[in-house]
Amino acid sequence: MSIRRGGLMSYNQRRIARWYFGGLASSMAAMVTHPIDLIKVLIQTQAVKLSVVQTTRKIVKEQGVLAMYNGISASMLRQYTYTLARFGIYSVGSGAMDTSTMGGKTLLAAIAGGIGGFVGAPADLINVRLQNDVKLPPEKRRNYKHAIDGLVRITREEGWKNLFNGSSMIALRGAFMTVGQIAFYEQSKTQIIKLGMPENMGTYIVASMISSVVATTLTQPIDVVKTRRMNAAPGEYSGLGDVFVQTSKEGPLAFFKGYVPSLCRLLPHTVLLFLGLEYLRTHFGYLPEPKQTGPYNRYDDVDD
């Protein structure tokens, strides 16, 4: 197989991504999409309905432009725990499981996402709390200095078990998110290439957009319930079931509150994530082990 050269994404399509590339690519994408993620959380938790533009204006007017990056340290921590675990487990697992079918991709993605969700639960909790501080009055803000300060204070003030508050819901969301993102991205990319499109940046963008829509649709109801549970005052809800019941009283569309901001955040984040991941793979990934053939043990498909 020859190496296509000259294009940004086409250095060597045969290379395989290293297990940590997903976390690295996701952290770079998060730097761009963090403000949109902040708006999404505020819209989901606010009592008074405000549009995306109105919410943005309110934050900038009251807190300043830099408030749009409140919680960025927790976001970075989340990428290097939650996302790194999801993509890392899927990468390693794909070498041991058959992922040639959609069923195989879905199963492995669900397992990787569930484990990654549990691993990243503390970072997810800190991330939501830091973002939510923007809309609270000064006297009620938690004022965590950064992600590590939040982890230390929650452990000291609330107990270490509270770091995993809602972890079962986060793990469930992680499973659905990973199925939508990774499984559907891989399957969409494969099908697009089979239709005749070359494996290049355009293919990666189309496949990642498809996976973004699927992932948002699968996770939005879980995301709404999870966010409300994390931001609840002590005793406000008796459990996750109560959160679901109270939310359902607002109507079925309440579970998709903030869908547009979620898609607006996830779509560019996912596109940037997979473009970054494909770039890292094609330029810094490793080549698969060549097969020995013939009486002289010469190697097939060795590219120089």
Side-chain angles (χ1 to χ4, degrees), residues 218-283:
L218 290 175
T219 61
Q220 190 61 21
I222 301 172
D223 201 27
V224 170
V225 173
K226 176 195 68 118
T227 303
R228 291 190 176 192
R229 178 70 179 87
M230 280 185 167
N231 283 292
E236 184 175 352
Y237 297 112
S238 59
L240 288 175
D242 188 35
V243 180
F244 181 86
V245 170
Q246 295 302 321
T247 304
S248 64
K249 291 180 180 178
E250 302 175 27
L253 292 181
F255 290 102
F256 291 91
K257 189 176 182 180
Y259 182 91
V260 173
S262 292
L263 181 60
C264 288
R265 180 204 68 85
L266 189 63
L267 193 149
H269 179 88
T270 303
V271 170
L272 291 173
L273 187 162
F274 282 114
L275 285 180
L277 180 59
E278 296 287 6
Y279 182 86
L280 290 172
R281 176 183 68 83
T282 55
H283 287 73

Side-chain angles (χ1 to χ4, degrees), residues 154-185:
I154 290 176
T155 301
R156 184 175 64 244
E157 298 169 8
E158 305 175 33
W160 68 268
K161 290 183 179 180
N162 269 26
L163 289 172
F164 293 90
N165 184 22
S167 60
S168 59
M169 184 64 73
I170 299 172
L172 179 62
R173 180 186 182 276
F176 278 94
M177 175 63 74
T178 309
V179 168
Q181 276 190 323
I182 300 181
F184 273 85
Y185 173 79

